[in-house]
Every structure is written in C-alpha cells, then in structure tokens.
Amino acid sequence: MIEELLPPWVRSAEAFDDAVEAPLCPGESEAVSGTTQRRRLEFATVRRCARTALAELDVRPGALLPDEHGAPLWPPAIVGSMTHCPGYRAAAVARTDRVRAVGIDAEPNEPLLGGIHQIADAAERRHLDDLSASGYPVQWDRLLFCCKEAVYKSWFPLARRWLGFHDAVITIEPDRNTFHAQLRPPRRGGLTRAGQEPTGFTGRWLARDGLLLATIADPRPPGSP
C-alpha cells in the first residue's frame, strides 16, 4: 500500500503482522530489552522492513539503532522513516541527494482517542467539520493526527528540535488524497543542517482496509548542499 504514496526514488517495505521471523542486528536487542514481547516483535519487524527497503538502494544491512530521542539512526547519505500500528508495519528510505526528509505514519481508521483539542486549533477543527460532511468513510480526526506525525518525523531530523501538534497547521484535500502542512514552530535556535528550517511540507494519504497512511517525501531543493 505505502509504495502507492511515494515517488519511485523512495523505497519502502511493509508488513501486516509479525509472523515472518525478523532477526535483530547486534545492539538492537539491547534497545528493546525490558519491553514487552509485542514491542520487541514490532521493533524487529519494522527493522526488517527498513533493511528490505535499504537493500533496494544497494545499502548493506546493519543495525538501525534509535538515537537519544528515539529516532532511527540511518546509514550515511540516507534519510528514512518507520511506523507501526496494530496490523501494520512499514519503513521508507531514500538517498539524500534526491530527498532531504521522509516521514511516514500509519494509524487505525478509528476515532482519535483523547480529544481533538489537544492536536488541532480552531481553524483545523472547522476544517474537520467540513471534511466530516463530505461523506468519505474516513475518521478525519485520526487522519489529521496521522498527517501531523508524518510531519514531525520529517521535521525532526532536519531541525533537531521539538515541533508540537499546534506548530503544524494541516489542510487535507480529500479528492486528491494530499495534505499540506504550514509550519509555525517557536523561533528559538536549532537551525537545520542546511541553515534554514522548512516552512511547510506536502504529503499524500490513503485510507484502506481499516488503516490510514500518511507520507512525506520532501525533495531536496536544486543546488542545496
């Protein structure tokens, strides 16, 4: 499913359960020691997906350890993202000469728990009301959350600082299966490695088989380092 949302120079792999054995590389077992068996299985399967995708870029398999913030440490000159939710695991990767950021997220197509006010401002809530009246079989509040998670996963490797739910304003286009994120992070330090933080992202989304997927593959601007 996820490959439908990504350009061909972004490689991906997905799984719908943890039935296929997914051995861990040295150091990865320690990263999930003390967690539940479910968490260890998810961790292993999503890394098997990542190594499958990396192999399509001719990158040798190796350990994919989380950094101090929990984000995966990718091989040199690679950007990527992982996601897992009940019934789905996926990873997407690309080379940095084509793409500067990748962010993916998967969620069940079910109502968002915890209340929409925690993640959406007044304009976004009005937008969700309009989307709900459209008749599409989509839990729009959960899709909004899914899109914001994909935004954060794209943002953080570039800026290396926090981006809150209210720091990204999402507009979803139901007929085109796209979304746009306008970023308004607090202005304090943490510039990107290129010296400029992104001001927005455009992504794609999909609702199918009880799942919601959101992806971002932010192209590298021409002439950028």
Side-chain angles (χ1 to χ4, degrees), residues 61-111:
L64 297 170
L65 302 175
D67 66 11
E68 67 274 17
H69 302 285
L73 293 168
W74 298 101
I78 296 293
V79 291
S81 183
M82 304 181 193
T83 187
H84 57 79
C85 74
Y88 191 75
R89 295 90 172 85
V93 295
R95 294 194 178 276
T96 55
D97 60 350
R98 297 294 302 270
V99 178
R100 67 172 181 168
V102 174
I104 66 172
D105 193 63
E107 300 288 333
N109 192 4
E110 299 172 357

Side-chain angles (χ1 to χ4, degrees), residues 8-225:
W9 50 88
V10 178
R11 301 306 175 93
S12 62
E14 63 190 359
F16 296 89
D17 54 40
D18 302 311
V20 177
E21 183 181 1
L24 292 174
C25 292
E28 291 178 340
S29 296
E30 291 77 4
V32 285
S33 63
T35 63
T36 65
Q37 182 183 16
R38 175 182 173 182
R39 169 59 182 148
R40 292 193 295 272
L41 288 172
E42 290 174 342
F43 183 94
T45 300
V46 79
R47 276 158 175 76
R48 174 172 58 80
C49 291
R51 283 187 267 273
T52 299
L54 286 168
E56 295 187 15
L57 296 178
D58 295 323
V59 177
R60 294 182 62 184
L64 297 170
L65 302 175
D67 66 11
E68 67 274 17
H69 302 285
L73 293 168
W74 298 101
I78 296 293
V79 291
S81 183
M82 304 181 193
T83 187
H84 57 79
C85 74
Y88 191 75
R89 295 90 172 85
V93 295
R95 294 194 178 276
T96 55
D97 60 350
R98 297 294 302 270
V99 178
R100 67 172 181 168
V102 174
I104 66 172
D105 193 63
E107 300 288 333
N109 192 4
E110 299 172 357
L112 183 68
L113 302 177
I116 193 63
H117 288 76
Q118 297 182 23
I119 70 164
D121 65 12
E124 287 177 313
R125 294 196 297 273
R126 290 192 296 271
H127 180 49
L128 291 179
D129 289 340
D130 292 339
L131 290 170
S132 297
S134 66
Y136 287 84
V138 175
Q139 295 294 334
W140 297 108
D141 56 350
R142 180 75 77 151
L143 179 59
L144 182 72
F145 176 84
C146 188
C147 293
K148 292 201 176 198
E149 286 289 295
V151 166
Y152 180 76
K153 292 177 181 180
S154 302
W155 158 271
F156 186 79
L158 293 172
R160 302 303 297 179
R161 67 187 182 98
W162 179 255
L163 186 76
F165 283 118
H166 291 278
D167 297 329
V169 179
I170 304 293
T171 303
I172 298 170
E173 297 187 8
D175 295 329
R176 300 179 63 186
N177 288 87
T178 60
F179 66 93
H180 305 281
Q182 179 183 355
L183 306 184
R184 51 184 188 190
R187 291 298 173 189
R188 57 176 188 276
L191 294 180
T192 65
R193 294 167 190 165
Q196 183 178 1
E197 292 179 341
T199 58
F201 294 113
T202 296
R204 302 184 66 198
W205 65 271
L206 176 70
R208 185 183 298 166
D209 298 335
L211 294 169
L212 298 171
L213 302 181
T215 69
I216 293 170
D218 194 45
R220 180 165 297 283
S224 65

